[in-house]
Amino acid sequence: MAASSDTTQKVIVLDFGAQYGQLIARRVRDLNVYSEILPCDASAEEIMEAKPSAIILSGGPASVYADDAPKIDPKVLELGLPILGFCYGHQTIAVELGGTVGHTEKGEYGPAELHVAHGALFEGTPEAQTVWMSHRDAVSEVPAGFTVTASTDVCPVAAMECAERKIYTTQFHPEVKHSEYGQQMLKNFLFKVCGLEASWTMDNLVETMTADFRAKVGSDRVILALSGGVDSSVVAALGARAIGKQMTCVFINHGLLRKNEPEQVEEVFTKQFDVDFIHVHAEDRYAQLLDGVTEPEEKRRIIGTQFWKEFFAVAQQLETDGKPVKYLAQGTIYPDIIESGARKTGGKASTIKSHHNLIPFPEGVHFDLIEPLDHFFKDEVRALGTALGLPDHIVHRQPFPGPGLAIRIIGAVSPEKLEILKNADAIVREELDAYNERLFQETGERNSEHSCWQYFAVLPDIKSVGVMGDERTYQRPIILRAVESSDAMTADWAKLPYDVLAKISGRIVAEVPGANRVCYDITSKPPATIEWE
């Protein structure tokens, strides 16, 4: 998101390509101070245009002495703003100001015991505490005017400060949960060193993002590929608030969504928001393309390729209607960018996987991109959706793969299999929604220890014998998948009560024609994935 003068207090994070880079900005926002990210090589002038109250330097994967090591504009350290540096940020500040960084024989990775001597960052924290380290290089000599404020057995300069210049740095990562007093250190920096107030809220963000969206678009037109998922729906709601009918939402219905979802999406974006909404019924075309296809990656390729063909066909039709469409709005969120090589952080982060939102345009097609969520995490996007007035069934929609139910049907996709899976999946979600709600009433927590994070039905490509009404059946089993997780990186199978499992099984067999058996997947991630394909 572009910097906005509407935000009076702002912390700028300079990102050196760390996987944790945006997490720092997130932790600051958690403390009700607005924060956004800029590339580490932003000039001092560019940074000051954002009107920051303070600057934080992130970690990064490089060595400060490497030929291609990222560097900051040295003038940044002369701006007179409070500065906080972590890991690579700690080291680059030391080098820029005349200190020394050495390559140690022994690295330090994971939890480490920190010995605190003194320092403003550590006020209200114990002398011995656990922090999260990830380094081999380390500061060996601090710059003039700095004092060492903490150490570990491996790292003599685990933290340093120059109170006169308001520069504070740590070799460890306070932003990760494993640093047990990390958030207290951020509080000390923001509120005691910088003198900021905890006054920023999600409502402030709605106002700022609406103004930014409107200012960028001006009088031009925007087209949005609306999947019905959380991210694209939030961008649609934001665009509706900012520019109304200058935006056209294109909903490609491939027939692979869950039961009643296409109707829910159309209801929300035709009745609740004042935008142009185009519902493309592509179900028959997808059914024909997928007929007989069994290989999962081939399914994904067909579905993704056809999605953009459908979308760009609509875009071309809109261009014949007078003024061409200039902008494509996307629901890209920060994890999409960092996983895809961080094209907005100068390409300095390691690529983890490609992402469908980041595909190149076909030859002869061009839009300028609008990606207003690209600085935010999924739960922040959900909170923004609520603030924008989206209904809970969209805001709290479970993670759902772009290819939809096609990859929850093992083997070839057919209308018969889709009908069975949609009906079974609806029962699973209804019963486990109710189970989660009961846990919330009992515990007061949405993510209590035993609540289900994601749950759905899978249809395998086999049949099994059963008995119904004294008659033999030969029908399909349904596999129930329910997991506990916080971020989908790891997941454990949900320890559901037997009565809940029994009710789900009984209802599926009784209410879903074509299904006669229910199995429960009790495999964690790893070694399995959450999805089956």
Side-chain angles (χ1 to χ4, degrees):
M1 194 177 76
S4 168
S5 58
D6 294 342
T7 308
T8 56
Q9 293 184 142
K10 183 187 301 175
V11 175
I12 292 295
V13 177
L14 297 182
D15 189 1
F16 289 87
Q19 297 297 331
Y20 298 141
Q22 186 53 237
L23 187 57
I24 301 169
R26 166 61 194 276
R27 295 290 179 239
V28 174
R29 293 195 295 264
D30 284 345
L31 294 171
N32 299 110
V33 175
Y34 184 63
S35 180
E36 59 188 40
I37 199 164
L38 287 176
C40 60
D41 54 3
S43 69
E45 290 76 15
E46 288 173 316
I47 292 168
M48 289 309 291
E49 284 177 9
K51 299 182 179 178
S53 308
I55 298 171
I56 300 178
L57 278 61
S58 83
S63 165
V64 289
Y65 293 127
D67 291 339
D68 60 348
K71 297 184 183 299
I72 59 167
D73 180 347
K75 294 178 184 176
V76 170
L77 301 178
E78 307 301 327
L79 293 174
L81 293 170
I83 293 176
L84 183 60
F86 303 150
C87 192
Y88 187 92
H90 160 79
Q91 295 170 13
T92 200
I93 287 173
V95 170
E96 286 290 341
L97 296 179
T100 305
V101 172
H103 191 68
T104 59
E105 291 183 8
K106 184 178 180 183
E108 200 172 24
Y109 302 95
E113 184 175 350
L114 186 75
H115 311 294
V116 175
H118 62 91
L121 281 189
F122 300 105
E123 190 173 324
T125 72
E127 291 183 3
Q129 54 186 277
T130 300
V131 296
W132 191 259
M133 289 284 196
S134 182
H135 72 101
R136 181 169 288 277
D137 289 357
V139 175
S140 52
E141 293 181 26
V142 302
F146 280 75
T147 59
V148 178
T149 55
S151 61
T152 70
D153 293 342
V154 173
C155 184
V157 188
M160 64 181 187
E161 70 174 43
C162 179
E164 182 182 354
R165 300 179 66 172
K166 292 187 177 179
I167 299 178
Y168 304 82
T169 69
T170 72
Q171 178 58 63
F172 57 88
H173 291 273
E175 71 273 25
V176 303
K177 296 288 188 183
H178 308 292
S179 293
E180 54 185 340
Y181 294 96
Q183 202 70 343
Q184 181 61 46
M185 294 173 205
L186 276 175
K187 285 182 182 179
N188 289 340
F189 177 71
L190 296 174
F191 305 129
K192 295 185 177 178
V193 172
C194 303
L196 302 181
E197 296 179 1
S199 57
W200 178 81
T201 68
M202 191 58 70
D203 289 337
N204 301 147
L205 181 62
V206 168
E207 295 301 324
T208 301
M209 293 180 74
T210 300
D212 286 350
F213 200 114
R214 189 178 294 133
K216 179 165 185 175
V217 172
S219 61
D220 289 306
R221 296 172 64 203
V222 179
I223 190 170
L224 167 72
L226 181 62
S227 69
V230 180
D231 305 330
S232 66
S233 295
V234 169
V235 174
L238 180 65
R241 191 177 193 272
I243 59 170
K245 288 187 177 292
Q246 284 175 246
M247 182 172 70
T248 300
C249 295
V250 180
F251 175 53
I252 310 296
N253 185 354
H254 49 31
L256 304 169
L257 292 177
R258 292 171 289 198
K259 190 173 184 178
N260 299 327
E261 281 187 329
E263 294 80 7
Q264 291 171 350
V265 171
E266 181 163 358
E267 173 76 17
V268 168
F269 288 99
T270 57
K271 304 288 175 62
Q272 189 169 335
F273 294 99
D274 187 27
V275 293
D276 283 338
F277 178 87
I278 297 175
H279 188 157
V280 178
H281 285 279
E283 299 98 312
D284 291 344
R285 290 188 288 277
Y286 272 95
Q288 186 174 357
L289 287 168
L290 291 169
D291 186 30
V293 177
T294 59
E295 209 278 317
E297 285 306 307
E298 180 66 6
K299 291 181 192 175
R300 290 177 183 274
R301 187 195 64 77
I302 289 170
I303 292 165
T305 301
Q306 185 64 23
F307 177 89
W308 289 107
K309 283 183 180 177
E310 300 280 351
F311 178 79
F312 287 126
V314 174
Q316 287 177 330
Q317 291 168 9
L318 290 173
E319 285 186 15
T320 63
D321 183 24
K323 196 173 183 181
V325 178
K326 181 176 181 181
Y327 291 103
L328 169 65
Q330 291 197 117
T332 309
I333 65 175
Y334 184 73
D336 300 339
I337 286 179
I338 202 69
E339 287 173 349
S340 304
R343 58 182 167 81
K344 294 200 173 182
T345 56
K348 296 176 180 68
S350 299
T351 299
I352 298 169
K353 64 179 181 180
S354 60
H355 193 273
H356 67 277
N357 274 2
L358 306 175
I359 67 164
F361 295 136
E363 188 174 348
V365 175
H366 175 76
F367 296 98
D368 291 340
L369 287 179
I370 296 180
E371 296 175 312
L373 307 181
D374 63 359
H375 277 53
F376 299 99
F377 289 83
K378 179 71 79 174
D379 58 335
E380 292 182 301
V381 173
R382 293 188 198 279
L384 180 61
T386 297
L388 284 163
L390 283 170
D392 282 352
H393 67 76
I394 286 183
V395 169
H396 297 292
R397 188 178 190 250
Q398 291 185 42
F400 189 63
L405 297 179
I407 59 168
R408 293 178 181 173
I409 293 174
I410 312 304
V413 178
S414 69
E416 175 208 4
K417 290 180 180 178
L418 270 171
E419 187 68 15
I420 293 171
L421 184 56
K422 285 182 180 182
N423 289 329
D425 185 75
I427 291 171
V428 169
R429 288 187 292 126
E430 182 180 332
E431 291 300 330
L432 291 184
D433 284 349
Y435 169 69
N436 274 349
E437 186 60 31
R438 288 196 299 274
L439 285 179
F440 171 66
Q441 297 299 331
E442 293 169 6
T443 65
E445 297 179 21
R446 279 291 174 201
N447 295 308
S448 65
E449 184 179 354
H450 300 296
S451 61
C452 294
W453 187 75
Q454 189 176 358
Y455 37 94
F456 53 87
V458 176
L459 188 70
D461 195 24
I462 58 173
K463 291 185 177 182
S464 68
V465 174
V467 178
M468 291 185 183
D470 295 327
E471 293 185 3
R472 178 187 184 274
T473 62
Y474 191 55
Q475 297 177 335
R476 299 191 179 276
I478 296 293
I479 296 166
L480 167 61
R481 184 68 161 145
V483 298
E484 299 165 4
S485 181
S486 60
D487 56 11
M489 300 301 291
T490 61
D492 195 11
W493 61 278
K495 313 305 187 290
L496 295 174
Y498 289 153
D499 62 327
V500 173
L501 290 170
K503 188 171 183 183
I504 291 171
S505 176
R507 283 194 61 191
I508 287 175
V509 171
E511 299 175 29
V512 180
N516 68 350
R517 189 184 295 267
V518 176
C519 306
Y520 189 29
D521 181 348
I522 57 169
T523 320
S524 297
K525 175 187 178 179
T529 55
I530 296 176
E531 297 286 348
W532 270 53
E533 288 193 345

